[in-house]
Amino acid sequence: MTELPLLAHGRDADVYALDDARVLRRYRNPAHSNTHMEAKVMEYVGSRGYPVPRVHDATATDLVMDRLHGPTLMQAWQARPWRIARYAGQLAELHDRLGAVPAPDWLPAPWTLPERDGDAMLHLDLHPLNVILTPDRGPVVIDWTNAAAGDPAFDLARTIVTIGTADLPPSPIVAARRLYLRALRRASATDPAPRMADAARGKLAEPNTSEAEGARLRAIIARAERRRSD
């Protein structure tokens, strides 16, 4: 694979350019891949009008998909931080649209929950790094590894928890992320408040959570539990 241009290097997989129209996403460890399920999910939501890359082929470790041209939503926000409300609104719309898609019977509950608590499609990693702003299709959502069925409020809460607690280097974006999250909550038709503690507990259980992130997550859980008891 060294002859193919490397486009992105993730925790579990690498993305290579096959040509100008297709990319190859290859998992380095087959035990960490579920490519056939991911392809099935993208084909399902795509057939219902949700913006996803088209899947050309899938094997035990590889996914061949459309190559998307354009910045991530995060890159666009970094380039034009004064458009914070616009970019938060785009993410909120993607959440609302996905929450309106009924989940198929074959899709399981989120791995952090004991059972399905709703019948909507969930992405569970729908944040600005997983949205590509394409010139022809508009925002397109990538990385469906964690897709599940359940309550849309849990999906939005996961996004808020992920953005709000992630370890990031100092930048104007970090300083403004509270404003972004407020704008996201205002723009969405879903109220994430009832699921914030569940989302934070799920993130806390992930093996790559840092000590600093864990402290922020525990603070979210404590706040949510205080509000619930009031």
Side-chain angles (χ1 to χ4, degrees), residues 33-173:
S33 70
N34 195 3
T35 49
H36 290 291
M37 175 62 84
E38 190 171 357
K40 190 176 181 181
V41 166
M42 284 192 284
E43 289 167 357
Y44 176 83
V45 295
S47 70
R48 281 149 182 82
Y50 198 78
V52 296
R54 184 164 64 98
V55 177
H56 298 273
D57 197 11
T59 70
T61 58
D62 297 350
L63 275 175
V64 177
M65 301 173 288
D66 283 348
R67 183 174 181 178
L68 303 175
H69 297 275
T72 65
L73 187 57
M74 175 65 82
Q75 290 169 333
W77 179 21
Q78 288 173 325
R80 296 176 177 85
W82 59 89
R83 293 184 174 177
I84 189 169
R86 173 180 176 178
Y87 297 136
Q90 287 179 313
L91 190 60
E93 182 183 3
L94 289 168
H95 267 282
D96 291 343
R97 287 178 62 186
L98 185 62
V101 176
D105 293 338
W106 44 262
L107 201 62
W111 71 270
T112 58
L113 298 178
E115 60 186 7
R116 284 174 59 153
D117 55 4
D119 295 315
M121 281 293 312
L122 311 181
H123 184 280
L124 299 181
D125 208 17
L126 184 43
H127 55 69
L129 286 173
N130 282 336
V131 178
I132 308 296
L133 302 179
T134 67
D136 52 340
R137 297 182 58 193
V140 178
V141 178
I142 62 172
D143 196 354
W144 291 81
T145 307
N146 299 321
D151 178 9
F154 181 73
D155 204 7
L156 183 59
R158 281 271 306 188
T159 293
I160 292 169
V161 163
T162 298
I163 297 173
T165 64
D167 286 334
L168 298 172
S171 72
I173 296 301

Side-chain angles (χ1 to χ4, degrees), residues 161 165 199-200 203-204 209 212-222:
V161 163
T165 64
K203 289 292 290 183
L204 194 57
T209 300
E213 289 170 337
R216 298 183 197 111
L217 290 165
R218 283 186 285 272
I220 290 174
I221 295 168

